[in-house]
Amino acid sequence: RLKALSREGLSIDVYGRLVPEYRSSFELLKRYEDLKVVRLCGEYRPDNLDFLAAYEAALIDYGVSRTANVRHCLPNKLFQALRHGLTVLVSPNLEDAMALFSSIPGAVMPLTPGSAIASVIQCARSIRPSDYLERIRRRLNQLHDASRDAYVGTSTGALS
């Protein structure tokens, strides 16, 4: 897929820190960095994500993984990107993420094997409604409120 990015005139900026279990993935990405397809940007401050506004799309590809780490990290990454107005491209196994935002065209798009990233971004761009950011914010607020209410209900029940 990385070679296809070059043909499509796209590149990927990768943010995060190198952890031992993903070292081989980072070493592969490092090879593509020399070809100007990948730029390793290092860690970022979670309290300042304004740099996301410079992008049109975020790629969240966990392959076939359904580990606890994926279940707990995915919502944060997804919500961070959406809050900044990005379209989120996700691997097909993240159907829960797609379902959460299915009412907003172009918000979360599946990236299936063989699909060209540029084509998926173009499709998202063409179907996004004019009030995209407002609809995203409303949906994020709904999810936040539902989560808070569930937590408060559980906490209150535990104290009774």
Side-chain angles (χ1 to χ4, degrees):
R1 213 172 248 183
L2 291 174
K3 288 179 185 175
L5 280 176
S6 179
R7 287 191 300 273
E8 296 171 16
L10 298 173
S11 62
I12 291 183
D13 290 350
V14 178
Y15 291 88
R17 64 186 163 93
L18 178 62
V19 291
E21 58 263 30
Y22 298 117
R23 186 170 307 282
S24 62
S25 296
F26 273 94
E27 287 171 0
L28 173 66
L29 291 173
K30 189 78 173 140
R31 281 187 254 149
Y32 283 95
E33 189 174 35
D34 295 336
L35 301 173
K36 307 291 186 228
V37 175
V38 172
R39 187 172 66 155
L40 299 176
C41 300
E43 293 187 52
Y44 59 91
R45 292 182 43 170
D47 61 340
N48 184 4
L49 299 174
D50 291 342
F51 69 91
L52 289 175
Y55 299 97
E56 183 174 2
L59 172 63
I60 301 178
D61 185 358
Y62 286 111
V64 295
S65 180
R66 290 186 175 272
T67 65
N69 184 45
V70 168
R71 285 194 312 274
H72 296 293
C73 290
L74 173 64
N76 288 335
K77 305 296 182 207
L78 178 69
F79 296 166
Q80 289 166 351
L82 288 170
R83 187 201 169 287
H84 284 83
L86 280 65
T87 290
V88 181
L89 311 177
V90 297
S91 46
N93 63 315
L94 301 175
E95 57 275 337
D96 293 347
M98 288 182 271
L100 280 173
F101 293 90
S102 62
S103 64
I104 306 171
V108 180
M109 305 284 290
L111 194 58
T112 57
S115 61
I117 291 175
S119 297
V120 176
I121 291 172
Q122 180 60 38
C123 176
R125 192 182 299 138
S126 71
I127 64 174
R128 282 171 62 153
S130 59
D131 63 343
Y132 178 75
L133 284 175
E134 181 55 35
R135 290 176 72 174
I136 289 292
R137 288 193 177 105
R138 273 197 313 263
R139 184 66 180 130
L140 289 172
N141 285 335
Q142 289 169 349
L143 292 169
H144 171 269
D145 292 348
S147 177
R148 181 198 58 223
D149 293 348
Y151 175 77
V152 170
T154 303
S155 299
T156 305
L159 296 174
S160 314

